[in-house]
Amino acid sequence: MYEAYKDKVAFFVVYIREAHAIDGHLPMEFGTIEDPITAAERSKVARKCVAGMKLSMPAIVDKMDDAVSLDYHGWPERLYLVGKDGKVVYAGGPGPFQFEPAELDAAIRKMLAGAKSTPVDSAISKKQR
């Protein structure tokens, strides 16, 4: 999607709190990362993640207060489409089970076609309530 629309839509990966830090509330067997306690540590882990996943789209890092994650209910992963007016026009469900890139693709195509979109009434879509 990024490659297909990157000249028409601004894409960002927002790195939030580490989902499975070994010292976090949901550690996993594969986890080897401690939950960063400073912005510099979080940025370092984010860079490692971007490099390891070979992401080509821009990545930004949530601040230590987790404001973006909390406002957008980003944990563990979400897809959002924000219109030029700043209103959320697509809010995906929580990943991994409701992570639906095809839905985001359809919303992007609709937006680019100039179709009127109905803003989501909050950062949380109705299917997440």
Side-chain angles (χ1 to χ4, degrees), residues 72-73 78-80 91-94 98 123-129:
Y72 286 87
H73 304 275
R78 296 287 169 105
L79 296 171
Y80 280 92
Q98 294 179 33
I124 305 172
S125 71
K126 290 177 182 166
K127 70 180 180 180
Q128 298 167 37
R129 292 188 184 152

Side-chain angles (χ1 to χ4, degrees), residues 48-81:
K48 183 177 179 180
C49 175
V50 168
M53 295 179 73
K54 298 180 181 163
L55 297 177
S56 58
M57 70 180 77
I60 54 180
V61 180
D62 198 3
K63 292 182 179 178
M64 296 307 292
D65 64 3
D66 300 320
V68 173
S69 180
L70 294 170
D71 286 350
Y72 286 87
H73 304 275
W75 193 91
E77 56 197 19
R78 296 287 169 105
L79 296 171
Y80 280 92
L81 177 61

Side-chain angles (χ1 to χ4, degrees), residues 105-128:
D105 185 67
I108 291 171
R109 283 188 277 110
K110 182 177 177 180
M111 182 184 73
L112 293 176
K116 291 280 186 184
S117 56
T118 305
V120 175
D121 62 0
S122 74
I124 305 172
S125 71
K126 290 177 182 166
K127 70 180 180 180
Q128 298 167 37

Side-chain angles (χ1 to χ4, degrees), residues 3-126:
E3 290 301 323
Y5 301 118
K6 69 181 178 183
D7 295 331
K8 298 175 180 82
V9 177
F11 283 81
F12 297 96
V13 170
V14 181
Y15 185 87
I16 61 173
R17 178 176 299 276
E18 184 62 34
H20 301 292
I22 58 174
D23 58 342
H25 69 283
L26 286 175
M28 299 291 273
E29 293 175 13
F30 59 81
T32 60
I33 298 171
E34 290 184 4
D35 198 18
I37 58 172
T38 68
E41 288 175 353
R42 185 176 278 186
S43 291
K44 182 179 178 180
V45 172
R47 284 191 302 275
K48 183 177 179 180
C49 175
V50 168
M53 295 179 73
K54 298 180 181 163
L55 297 177
S56 58
M57 70 180 77
I60 54 180
V61 180
D62 198 3
K63 292 182 179 178
M64 296 307 292
D65 64 3
D66 300 320
V68 173
S69 180
L70 294 170
D71 286 350
Y72 286 87
H73 304 275
W75 193 91
E77 56 197 19
R78 296 287 169 105
L79 296 171
Y80 280 92
L81 177 61
V82 179
K84 287 183 179 183
D85 60 2
K87 294 181 180 171
V88 174
V89 295
Y90 172 78
F97 302 110
Q98 294 179 33
F99 194 80
E100 300 289 345
E103 289 180 4
L104 175 61
D105 185 67
I108 291 171
R109 283 188 277 110
K110 182 177 177 180
M111 182 184 73
L112 293 176
K116 291 280 186 184
S117 56
T118 305
V120 175
D121 62 0
S122 74
I124 305 172
S125 71
K126 290 177 182 166

